[in-house]
Every structure is written in structure tokens, then in C-alpha cells.
Amino acid sequence: MPELDLSAFTADNDGSPRLRAYVARPEGAGPWPGVVVAHEAYGVDEQMRGHADRLAELGYLTIVPDLYSEGGLLRCVVRVMRALSAGQGRAFTDIAAGRAWLLERPECTGRIGVVGFCMGGGFAIATAPSFDAAAPHYGVTPYDVRAAVRGACPTVASYGAKDRMVPGGAARLRAALEEAGVVNDVKEYPDAGHSFMNTAPNGPRSLQLVLRAFGVSRDTESAADAWRRLDAFFTEHLGDGRT
């Protein structure tokens, strides 16, 4: 089943007591590198499951911990965003639980990356020191991004120049990674907006006009190149699960 109970990995710490996750498996027997996906602010929706499925098609055993397991978006989003701002809290423990599950799987090579989108992109930046490769997409940069990326793993990041929600995010992240001596590939796409990797609009329909005003827009050409760069970068730093 795609949905997994991760509560065994959070029972003795400060994670979500009823942590759930979506799992996407590549075809074949493995072993494969692993990927933890940190989801957008709207939760583990169709778009996030689609991204996980695509990562599995690329040869990565992929898990998406549901950071809203204890009450859904409306009850949890503020708490999760506060954890991101603080650099600690339940959401970080839940992401670590996804990594721990992968490390226990015999079909995982033990090389694990983190991929994030929007809010989850911020978590991908903040948790990069715990992984072997990171791929934040239009990720919110932590307040002290230079401190956040000290000891970070190799990072491939994608932003959109038309994104009004994370203006200048690519430049800030690139500068911090360069200063920390972290191997990186950070690219800003001139024709892309926020959430440009998604294949369809998500979030409340009533907010679509507002979201477009903040630069939320899909761009298939930019998304295709971002996926190509992620695949090449992860193949280099995690290994190729398709061979």
C-alpha cells in the first residue's frame, strides 16, 4: 500500500504520534537510493504524490512524511512553519523518521537525498546536513541561511524569477552555499514562477487569483530542465537506482 504508518519511528521522541507517509517504489527488486520528500504547504496532495511517483520512476525509493498527520492543514500549518523558522521541532523529527525508515529497508542502498517543494523546500535546505544530497525547489530560505547550510550536503536547487513569494531566494542560497564550500547547482528560471514544478493548480480554489498575483505559475519547460538537473545531480551523489 502507498500509505505507511511511521508511528514506530516517532513513539519515543517529539515527532507526530500518528505519523503517516506516502511511499513510491521503483520497479524491480533494488537496491535503490532513497529520497525523503518534504511537501508543500498544502500537504501530501495529488501534486506531491505525483512528484514522489516521478522520483520512483527515476529509480529512488521515495517516502513523503505527512507533516500534518496530527490534524490536517488548518490545524498544523502554523506549527510546521514555526518549526521551520526555529530550525527545530516536530516537523524535523517527522522528516528524520522518513530517513530512518529508508535506512532500515534492505532494498535501500543507504544513500539518501531530501527533496522539497515550497515550504518543504525550506525544510530541504534546513535538513541538508543530515542527507547525502538535497534538492529544494523554490524553497523558503531560513532566516540565517548561512548558519543553516554549514555542513550541508551537495545541493541542487531551482527557483523562478517570477516568484514573488521567494524573491531573491536563488541568489541568497547560492551565496550561502558558496561561502560554506558546499557543492551546488542553483538555477533561477526566467520564465518560471512559484510552484512551477506542479502539473496542475493546487490549494483552495478561492485563493487561485491571489496565488497568481504572488507569482504562482507552472512552466513545463523550466520544470523539465529542473527534473533533468535533479536526476543528473542525484545520480552523481546518490548513485543510479536504474542500473
Side-chain angles (χ1 to χ4, degrees), residues 62-226:
T62 304
I63 186 167
V64 192
D66 184 354
L67 305 183
Y68 301 157
S69 291
E70 295 302 315
L73 187 155
L74 293 179
R75 291 182 60 187
C76 297
V77 63
V78 173
R79 171 179 54 76
V80 171
M81 290 299 294
R82 284 175 178 167
L84 179 57
S85 296
Q88 60 183 348
R90 178 180 290 179
F92 284 90
T93 303
D94 291 348
I95 290 169
R99 180 177 178 274
W101 180 83
L102 287 168
L103 287 172
E104 284 196 356
R105 305 307 304 172
E107 65 269 36
C108 180
T109 63
R111 299 288 294 175
I112 300 172
V114 59
V115 175
F117 301 89
C118 179
M119 176 187 80
F123 280 105
I125 295 169
T127 62
S130 300
F131 287 89
D132 299 303
H137 300 87
Y138 29 91
V140 178
T141 49
Y143 176 74
D144 189 349
V145 65
R146 284 176 168 79
V149 302
R150 290 186 193 125
C153 59
T155 298
V156 54
S158 298
Y159 288 81
K162 295 182 178 180
D163 184 351
R164 298 185 185 93
M165 300 180 91
V166 196
R172 286 195 301 275
L173 179 59
R174 183 187 298 111
L177 292 169
E178 293 288 344
E179 183 179 298
V182 176
V183 174
N184 72 88
D185 172 7
V186 180
K187 184 171 182 178
E188 182 180 81
Y189 292 94
D191 297 323
H194 196 74
S195 294
F196 72 87
M197 301 285 284
N198 289 350
T199 58
N202 60 348
R205 185 174 299 178
S206 61
L207 292 180
Q208 292 307 311
L209 286 175
V210 175
L211 292 173
R212 283 198 291 272
F214 277 95
V216 175
S217 62
R218 303 182 304 282
D219 186 80
T220 55
E221 186 173 337
S222 299
D225 186 67

Side-chain angles (χ1 to χ4, degrees), residues 3-4 6 16 18-22 37-40 42-45 49 63-73 76 79-80 90-91 94-95:
E3 187 167 288
L4 177 73
L6 283 181
S16 297
R18 293 178 292 274
L19 182 61
R20 303 182 305 272
Y22 177 80
V37 172
H39 60 70
E40 279 190 343
Y42 301 121
V44 188
D45 60 7
R49 292 191 293 271
I63 186 167
V64 192
D66 184 354
L67 305 183
Y68 301 157
S69 291
E70 295 302 315
L73 187 155
C76 297
R79 171 179 54 76
V80 171
R90 178 180 290 179
D94 291 348
I95 290 169

